[in-house]
Amino acid sequence: MTLAAAFVAVSMSAQVYVGGSLGVNAWSSQEHAVINADKSETTFAILPEIGYNLTEDFAIGTVIGYVNDKWEGVEEMSESAFKFAPYARYTFLKSGRVSLFVDGGVDFTTASKADWTELAIGFKPGLAVSLTDNISFVSHLGFIGFDEFNPDGDDNNTTNFGLNLSGSNLTFGLYFNF
């Protein structure tokens, strides 16, 4: 039994990781002649994550998180949303403690109060820095792929395809590797 437990402990070494990311994005605009008011939006995201390293270069995982948007201007409102984003990760460059990777996956976000959904399919490049053997700093910047936003109502979907390097696609997080 002891040998079996030792074998399992060694084989599980650094295969599972847990952690997550925080994201904040804010913008504002000066008074608009038609709207006659200043406008702003602040987005805050808490994105817990769990994953499993299949090999040194490949991993699978998922993000299940919370996103909050607050708008001010014409009318003030706040919306909370649920996010589910499974992914496959490929690490394509390792140099010492620094790794570059790309996550390919599907992001599904839904909010009930304003009754909207968003579906994104694509790739997110990232950077991981091993601070210790068990703790890594991870950052994602950008998105390339397809994104469709479906607000409540008919004929008002917004569809995007391409590369987005805006601040809304920048997250920072920490992972604990088992």
Side-chain angles (χ1 to χ4, degrees):
M1 289 289 276
T2 303
L3 285 175
F7 177 77
V8 170
V10 169
S11 67
M12 289 291 290
S13 176
Q15 289 184 339
V16 175
Y17 57 90
V18 295
S21 300
L22 295 176
V24 176
N25 182 44
W27 66 267
S28 64
S29 65
Q30 299 285 323
E31 186 173 319
H32 189 275
V34 175
I35 299 171
N36 204 20
D38 292 345
K39 291 174 45 178
S40 67
E41 178 183 7
T42 303
T43 304
F44 177 73
I46 300 172
L47 306 169
E49 185 171 341
I50 186 167
Y52 183 79
N53 292 309
L54 300 170
T55 68
E56 256 189 56
D57 296 332
F58 290 100
I60 56 172
T62 191
V63 173
I64 300 174
Y66 167 82
V67 180
N68 182 271
D69 278 332
K70 181 178 181 183
W71 298 274
E72 294 179 2
V74 178
E75 66 180 79
E76 193 169 316
M77 65 184 277
S78 179
E79 176 66 70
S80 296
F82 169 77
K83 180 176 188 126
F84 176 67
Y87 63 86
R89 175 173 293 168
Y90 174 65
T91 302
F92 58 89
L93 179 67
K94 291 182 183 180
S95 178
R97 294 192 167 270
V98 177
S99 300
L100 297 176
F101 63 87
V102 63
D103 288 350
V106 177
D107 287 10
F108 177 74
T109 309
T110 184
S112 58
K113 189 162 98 175
D115 193 19
W116 59 266
T117 59
E118 183 173 13
L119 177 67
I121 302 169
F123 301 95
K124 294 179 183 179
L127 166 80
V129 179
S130 295
L131 303 175
T132 69
D133 288 341
N134 296 94
I135 298 175
S136 299
F137 169 80
V138 179
S139 176
H140 289 90
L141 171 64
F143 175 78
I144 184 167
F146 170 81
D147 183 14
E148 181 173 80
F149 180 74
N150 181 6
D152 184 29
D154 295 330
D155 301 325
N156 59 354
N157 293 358
T158 303
T159 303
N160 294 306
F161 182 79
L163 175 65
N164 182 346
L165 295 175
S166 72
S168 63
N169 287 310
L170 175 64
T171 60
F172 300 103
L174 288 174
Y175 288 177
F176 184 77
N177 303 293
F178 292 97

